[in-house]
């Protein structure tokens, strides 16, 4: 079995932008986060038909990022993806998820909670107002992006389902449908993709169920119709195309931990001091940049999340 995932050497030459284009792009990107106007978005996105085709969402805009940061262009967010259900190359998901059917969609909620059941996506998200959250996404492969998500804080959804005292963790599962997901026809991973969070991580105000980005519905390659976003953890925790949410007593065995337990753990907190066995995690390459930048503890969200891990040996619980 060939696991080529998470090899930081996979960055392609085409990612190193021609200097002229690079400067051009920089100019566009100096848009303050809170001011994502239609015109600014059009500039950032550049002619991507997919964007025009996506449905516009109504949401509360994010505050400008502090410190300021540049958004990763829509084009990069939607053509440089990890989504093994649609192939292992970065450009595969954009191509092979094009016709993926995201409606109708239902989500099964189960385990230790007061309101188990199978819910239509519309009903699942209806009770909540959408909000924009601009987060850094740091992949375990040592690249990163800044993405303006639109979604619902997960704690609101969790409260609604009334988890019981035995619910110590939440487990999430991606759709299993090899007819539509060509990557699932090969045993690259143990399908379906599974992820999990400790209950306090799931209830943390930063944790999001995203249904959109750049103000529109999620592109298929980014996890439509609904995906998790946990900005202080490596990207593989942010599971896409969720069909199942279970409240459980025991720590779930997440897919990447199952595939390579020496390389990927359950917690997967971004940590520049704990290297991957095959590469350093001290630095990362922001997509669109040429030079690497230092990786920040908890991906820069330490003041908000470090207290979740007080007393834990982060080398052991990687
Ligand atoms: N179901 C599923 N979810 C997934 C993945 C995957 O292969 N399958 N890849 C993960 C990884 S490794 C990363 S870095 C992010 C990438 O999200 P993006 O493609 O929207 O940037 O999705 C995560 N969620
Ligand atoms: Mo990743």
């Amino acid at each position: 079995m060939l696991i080529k995932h998470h090899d930081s050497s996979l960055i392609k030459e085409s990612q190193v932008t021609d200097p002229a284009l690079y400067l051009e792009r920089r100019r566009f990107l100096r848009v303050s986060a809170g001011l994502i106007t239609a015109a600014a978005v059009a500039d950032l996105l550049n002619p991507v038909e997919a964007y025009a085709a996506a449905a516009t969402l109504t949401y509360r805009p994010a505050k400008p990022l502090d410190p300021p940061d540049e958004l990763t262009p829509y084009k990069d967010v939607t053509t440089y993806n990890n989504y093994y259900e649609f192939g292992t190359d970065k450009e595969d998901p954009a191509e092979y998820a094009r016709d993926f059917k995201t409606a109708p969609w239902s989500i099964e909620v189960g385990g230790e909670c007061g309101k188990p059941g199978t819910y239509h996506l519309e009903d699942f998200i209806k009770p909540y107002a959408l909000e924009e959250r601009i987060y850094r996404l740091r992949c375990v492969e040592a690249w990163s992006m800044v993405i303006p998500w639109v979604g619902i804080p997960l704690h609101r959804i969790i409260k609604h389902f009334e988890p019981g005292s035995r619910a110590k963790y939440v487990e999430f599962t991606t759709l299993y449908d090899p007819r539509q997901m060509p990557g699932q026809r090969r045993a690259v991973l143990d399908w379906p993709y599974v992820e999990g969070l400790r209950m306090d991580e799931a209830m943390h105000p930063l944790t999001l169920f995203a249904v959109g980005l750049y103000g529109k519905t999620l592109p298929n390659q980014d996890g439509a119709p609904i995906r998790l976003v946990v900005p202080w953890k490596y990207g593989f925790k942010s599971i896409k195309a969720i069909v199942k949410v279970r409240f459980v007593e025991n720590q779930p065995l997440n897919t990447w931990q199952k595939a390579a337990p020496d390389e990927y753990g359950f917690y997967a907190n971004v940590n520049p001091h704990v290297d991957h066995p095959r590469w350093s995690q001290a630095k990362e390459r922001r997509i669109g940049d040429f030079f690497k930048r230092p990786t920040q503890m908890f991906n820069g969200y330490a003041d908000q999340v470090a207290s979740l891990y007080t007393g834990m040996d982060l080398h052991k619980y990687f």
Side-chain angles (χ1 to χ4, degrees):
M1 171 168 79
L2 178 80
I3 300 185
K4 59 192 259 193
H5 183 244
H6 297 161
D7 178 347
S8 52
S9 70
L10 286 177
I11 288 165
K12 296 244 164 63
E13 231 174 295
S14 59
Q15 293 304 129
V16 183
T17 319
D18 168 85
L21 289 174
Y22 175 79
L23 290 174
E24 181 77 350
R25 186 147 74 166
R26 288 288 108 159
R27 224 180 310 128
F28 285 138
L29 292 188
R30 213 147 290 153
V31 179
S32 155
L35 306 171
I36 305 180
T37 62
V41 166
D43 274 352
L44 274 168
L45 307 179
N46 210 336
V48 180
E49 315 96 53
Y51 188 74
T56 303
L57 297 169
T58 303
Y59 58 91
R60 184 158 60 90
K63 292 192 203 84
L65 282 190
D66 180 24
D69 211 339
E70 290 165 350
L71 301 179
T72 301
Y74 185 83
K75 189 165 186 296
D76 292 333
V77 174
T78 58
T79 56
Y80 188 89
N81 298 100
N82 270 336
Y83 198 172
Y84 275 29
E85 286 83 343
F86 293 102
T88 53
D89 286 342
K90 293 289 182 280
E91 56 274 18
D92 284 345
E95 185 176 346
Y96 298 112
R98 203 168 287 153
D99 299 323
F100 179 55
K101 212 162 156 259
T102 59
W105 192 272
S106 51
I107 300 179
E108 187 191 325
V109 180
E112 307 285 343
C113 74
K115 293 183 186 164
T118 300
Y119 299 85
H120 291 296
L121 178 64
E122 297 75 48
D123 301 327
F124 187 85
I125 64 175
K126 198 168 30 193
Y128 319 99
L130 298 179
E131 46 186 283
E132 182 181 46
R133 295 287 183 90
I134 301 169
Y135 287 153
R136 292 175 291 278
L137 174 87
R138 181 17 171 114
C139 177
V140 77
E141 297 163 334
W143 53 264
S144 62
M145 298 191 186
V146 181
I147 303 177
W149 303 105
V150 177
I152 300 155
L154 181 59
H155 65 85
R156 300 228 174 92
I157 296 174
I158 289 181
K159 275 195 201 104
H160 176 86
F161 290 106
E162 301 166 359
S165 59
R166 289 205 302 205
K168 306 281 191 246
Y169 297 86
V170 191
E171 181 186 87
F172 309 91
T173 309
T174 294
L175 178 69
Y176 178 69
D177 186 355
R179 278 201 347 225
Q180 286 204 80
M181 295 173 139
Q184 291 180 336
R185 294 175 212 153
R186 295 185 300 142
V188 179
L189 289 171
D190 189 11
W191 311 110
Y193 197 97
V194 170
E195 260 305 337
L197 294 172
R198 215 170 56 191
M199 187 55 90
D200 58 345
E201 299 176 319
M203 295 295 287
H204 192 280
L206 286 174
T207 306
L208 196 70
F209 254 20
V211 295
L213 56 81
Y214 272 109
K216 295 218 182 180
T217 48
L218 274 184
N220 290 344
Q221 58 269 42
D222 289 285
I226 188 162
R227 58 108 38 102
L228 181 68
V229 180
V230 195
W232 71 93
K233 293 177 178 285
Y234 291 120
F236 70 83
K237 296 296 291 182
S238 293
I239 180 175
K240 298 175 173 182
I242 295 168
V243 292
K244 210 189 276 186
V245 177
R246 276 184 72 77
F247 298 97
V248 296
E249 188 157 16
N250 299 315
Q251 184 176 297
L253 180 58
N254 49 312
T255 294
W256 276 105
Q257 183 181 21
K258 197 172 185 181
D262 301 335
E263 304 192 4
Y264 310 106
F266 174 78
Y267 283 93
N269 292 314
V270 174
N271 189 338
H273 312 299
V274 177
D275 287 338
H276 186 278
R278 291 184 279 132
W279 60 84
S280 165
Q281 293 292 23
K283 289 184 178 176
E284 68 200 55
R285 203 175 65 85
R286 179 65 54 80
I287 297 301
D289 282 2
F290 184 77
F291 294 107
K292 288 192 173 180
R293 62 175 71 202
T295 285
Q296 303 176 75
M297 189 64 205
F298 296 112
N299 202 23
Y301 301 97
D303 54 343
Q304 293 161 81
V305 304
S307 63
L308 292 171
Y309 310 104
T310 311
M312 278 176 67
D313 177 353
L314 298 178
H315 288 263
K316 183 174 169 205
Y317 297 99
F318 62 94

